[in-house]
Structures are given as structure tokens and as C-alpha cells.
Amino acid sequence: MSHIFMARKVIEALDTLRKGDKIPITLRPLTTTGTVQDDPFDEWFGETLNKLIPEFEVVHSGPLTTPDIILRDRTTSEIIGIEVKKVDAQVGGKDSRGLTLD
């Protein structure tokens, strides 16, 4: 399995969750998330991939470590890293990342 095929499988798996133009996500309340690095979205993303693509092993790198998630094909042992980026508009709609990408 090629790395591109693995990435495509992730996109296709997440697309199965689509309800209209949105993917419904249930996150923990902000009061229980701790720091910015204690990210419930990263956890949701990893847990969801683990359920949807059981042939991939999902490994979380941990806080302040990149990539956020490593996927390993259990058959071929090929790996890809996924860096999860969240974009949330500030008050007034301003981009919280300053219109930049890492």
C-alpha cells in the first residue's frame, strides 16, 4: 500500500461520517480540556481512524510533538504522519492563525 493510498483511505473513511457538508464531532467541554496541547480533537481524530480503518495502527505522538498522529499499515508496515491543524475564528471572524499554515 502506498503512502498516497493510505492518505486517500483516511479521507474516504472520514467522508463516511459526513452529514450534509459537516462531519459531526462531539468534544469534551472546554472546562475539562486543560491546556491547548491537551487537544480533544486530536483524540477524536485518532479514535475515529482507529474505528474506521482497523488495518491501520494509530499512535498518538503526545503534546508538543509532531506529527500528532502516526498511522502504520499493519500488513506492509508503511507509515504516514498526520499533523492535525485546528482553525477557529477569533471574535469578529479574524483568523486565529494569522492566515498562515505550518
Side-chain angles (χ1 to χ4, degrees):
M1 181 177 302
S2 73
H3 296 101
I4 293 171
F5 182 77
M6 289 179 72
R8 183 176 177 181
K9 195 155 179 84
V10 168
I11 292 166
E12 289 171 350
L14 292 174
D15 197 47
T16 66
L17 302 174
R18 186 178 302 273
K19 306 281 189 226
D21 17 336
K22 297 181 181 179
I23 295 176
I25 299 169
T26 303
L27 298 177
R28 296 186 316 243
L30 288 176
T31 55
T32 64
T33 58
T35 69
V36 171
Q37 296 305 319
D38 180 18
D39 198 327
F41 184 75
D42 290 9
E43 291 176 14
W44 173 88
F45 191 78
E47 290 166 5
T48 300
L49 292 181
N50 201 32
K51 290 176 193 168
L52 295 174
I53 316 174
E55 63 267 32
F56 291 173
E57 177 184 9
V58 178
V59 178
H60 293 269
S61 301
L64 300 175
T65 306
T66 59
D68 293 317
I69 294 173
I70 298 167
L71 297 179
R72 182 183 70 83
D73 184 305
R74 295 179 193 275
T75 304
T76 66
S77 294
E78 289 187 73
I79 63 170
I80 62 172
I82 298 177
E83 183 66 20
V84 180
K85 293 297 178 196
K86 284 75 58 190
V87 179
D88 189 13
Q90 294 178 346
V91 176
K94 186 175 178 182
D95 179 8
S96 61
R97 297 182 78 78
L99 297 176
T100 64
L101 294 175
D102 294 344

